Amino acid sequence: MPSPVVRVAAVAVAGVLSCAGCSSAPEPAAPSSSTPEASSSAAASPTPSPSLAPDAVAVSPGGVTTKVGAPAESTEDDYFQACTAARTWMDQRGGDPKTQIEPYLKMLQSAPTVGPGDFDKKWSELSAGQQSAVIVAVEAAADALCG
C-alpha cells in the first residue's frame, strides 16, 4: 500500500494531467482544410456566455453592447488587429485597461468612422458573430493577450 504522500502526489499529478490543455485564454480554432474558405474561418471561437441566450445581447446601463450571444467569428488577422487597436487605445489612456473595456466599446459602437478595431465596418454592419469577436478581442486587449 502506497504511503499517504505518494497517494497525494499521484492525485496531484492526475489532476494536472487531466487539465493539460486547460487555459483561461481563448485559443484560436485550427482552420479546416476541407474548404477553400478555411483561411478565413473563425480564429477566435469561444462559445457564448452560458448566461446569455443565443442571439441575445447584453447592454450596459450606459447603453453599450458588452456581450453578444453568438460564437465569435473573425479571421486570425482581423482578431489580432482588433485586439492590437484596442490595446493601443487603452495604453494611450493609461490606468487599468479593464476599466476601459466599456468606454472603448462605446467609442466603436458610436463612431462614424471605421478601422481595424471593428474589422473596418460600422458596428451596425457587423454580424452577431463579428460583434462577439470584437468584444472578445477587446477583453483580450485589456488582459494584454493580443499575442
Side-chain angles (χ1 to χ4, degrees):
M1 180 160 188
S3 72
V5 173
V6 172
R7 284 188 294 221
V8 169
V11 169
V13 169
V16 169
L17 291 176
S18 70
C19 192
C22 297
S23 172
S24 62
E27 290 189 32
S32 166
S33 60
S34 62
T35 66
E37 299 168 351
S39 63
S40 64
S41 66
S45 301
T47 56
S49 170
S51 61
L52 197 60
D55 299 323
V57 175
V59 179
S60 73
V64 178
T65 300
T66 56
K67 295 228 182 279
V68 177
E73 296 173 1
S74 69
T75 64
E76 190 171 312
D77 188 50
D78 284 343
Y79 176 84
F80 175 76
Q81 288 185 31
C83 187
T84 303
R87 188 62 194 199
T88 299
W89 189 90
M90 292 171 181
D91 286 346
Q92 290 172 346
R93 275 134 192 90
D96 181 4
K98 289 187 183 253
T99 64
Q100 297 176 33
I101 292 172
E102 188 172 329
Y104 182 75
L105 288 171
K106 180 177 184 174
M107 184 269 306
L108 284 181
Q109 293 169 20
S110 61
T113 60
V114 298
D118 52 14
F119 307 153
D120 295 314
K121 294 181 180 178
K122 288 186 177 183
W123 183 262
S124 61
E125 296 171 351
L126 296 172
S127 69
Q130 289 172 319
Q131 289 178 351
S132 181
V134 168
I135 293 168
V136 169
V138 172
E139 290 171 348
D143 290 330
L145 298 174
C146 293

